[in-house]
Amino acid sequence: MLASLSIIFLFGMFMGWIFKNLRLPPLIGMIIAGIIVGPYSLNILSETMLNISADLRKIALIIILSRAGLSLDLEQLKKVGRPAIMMCFVPAAFEMAACTIISHFVLNLSYIDSAIVGAVIAAVSPAVVVPRMIKLIDGKYGSKRGIPQMIMAGASADDVFVIVMFTAFVSLSQGGNISALSFIKIPISIFLGIAIGVVFGIILCRLFSAVSVGASSKVIIYLGLSLFLTSAETYLENIIPFASLLSVMACGAIIYRLNPNDAKDMSSKFSELWVGAEILLFVLLGSVVDIKYAVASGMAVILVIILSLIFRMLGVQTCLIKTSLNRKERLFTSLSYIPKATVQAAIGSVPLSMGLSCGKTVLTVAVTAIILTAPIGAILIDKTYKVLLKKD
């Protein structure tokens, strides 16, 4: 496993450096590095590494969401109000509904199989979006109007909604029923996730005030707590549903609100951690991509993804009705909701492993969505924010 880690960090950094010098997002190079060394190409990563890949990717995601929470100004988010709440589920609902209808006709799937496809590709990727929104907040682009804060919060809550819908559709495909409880879990999970994060944020602030510890120790405590919350979600999912990733962000946001100096010091430490975590996340993400599926998909799958994205962007515009954002800011918000990667990598292969008839098609769409939208979305965000957003 040590050799695999060496390959991931060195080759991932090298490929990221190449793409950075080409003035393209380094994450594209990292994903390509993962595809090259992964089990579907050269297959030089150890089996042990591949077995814990999902956990390592989750840790990397927790690091960047912790960093995001420590940069999240609740006052700015509060000013955004209604659109911030709608961004958590409306764009995904638009995309899911559109994909269900489009896949039925273009891919010749049943409506329930098409709904599974829609649920898989409807989630935006916090791993791609959140680091870029943090960069905007640090650079003071649109942050005074709460644009990156709104996108960052929405991108994290969006996944909760999509995964619940995916679970419901898979159950229905297997002959089960969709109960009202399945849908009630969505607001409960989001509310409890935020509430638990707020409580732990207050506890940490009081602890840091009472006990004198350095910024590095505070980061370790916060990170340890975040890992605990994430694992607790898995153990308690059938008892008390709560969105642990929202808890992680909410905890950081409370620290930022109650003790901004601590938040600033911790944030800089998390930025240093992210240098390595980013390589780990995107190389391992690339390693689960079977490029053969994407190559064999043809234009039909690409057409489904593109048309579904258009409806997602329409959903974003719907959320922004009667807001003070101008056309450029609305366009940027829509473009920021394009990237897909994290959720698609996590659940794209589930229908196939369960033996569902749509399994191979779902995996093909998931892989193609990652390859198509992660780099394009990242490029669009990186290349347009200075043009479309005002610097505060």
Side-chain angles (χ1 to χ4, degrees), residues 49-79:
M49 174 60 67
L50 295 175
N51 289 338
I52 64 170
S53 171
D55 289 331
L56 291 175
R57 282 185 278 130
K58 195 70 171 279
I59 291 171
L61 187 58
I62 287 170
I63 288 172
I64 192 57
L65 289 178
S66 300
R67 168 76 174 83
L70 293 166
S71 304
L72 191 59
D73 189 337
L74 294 177
E75 286 301 317
Q76 293 295 343
L77 197 58
K78 191 176 175 181
K79 288 179 184 177

Side-chain angles (χ1 to χ4, degrees), residues 136 141-143 145 147-148 151 313 317 325-336 379-391:
L136 265 59
Y141 281 92
S143 60
R145 294 168 67 79
I147 296 170
I151 295 169
M313 295 175 77
Q317 295 303 312
L325 302 189
N326 59 41
R327 289 182 180 180
K328 287 184 177 181
E329 291 166 337
R330 294 183 187 209
L331 174 59
F332 177 81
T333 305
S334 293
L335 296 177
S336 297
I379 290 170
L380 287 173
I381 294 171
D382 291 346
K383 300 298 182 183
T384 63
Y385 75 90
K386 289 184 178 179
V387 177
L388 299 178
L389 299 181
K390 291 181 180 178
K391 188 174 174 69

Side-chain angles (χ1 to χ4, degrees), residues 32 57 70 80 91 110 127 145 158 202 210 234 273 280 290:
I32 292 173
R57 282 185 278 130
L70 293 166
V80 177
S110 67
R145 294 168 67 79
D158 169 282
I202 293 171
T234 305
L273 278 177
L280 195 65
D290 187 346

Side-chain angles (χ1 to χ4, degrees), residues 247-293:
S247 298
V248 171
M249 282 189 66
C251 183
I254 291 299
I255 295 173
Y256 178 87
R257 182 180 178 85
L258 298 181
N259 199 334
N261 290 330
D262 273 352
K264 184 178 179 181
D265 293 340
M266 292 167 67
S267 180
S268 64
K269 296 292 182 182
F270 271 111
S271 296
E272 294 171 6
L273 278 177
W274 176 241
V275 174
E278 181 183 30
I279 298 170
L280 195 65
L281 174 62
F282 289 111
V283 173
L284 288 175
L285 184 62
S287 71
V288 303
V289 172
D290 187 346
I291 198 72
K292 293 176 185 176
Y293 278 119

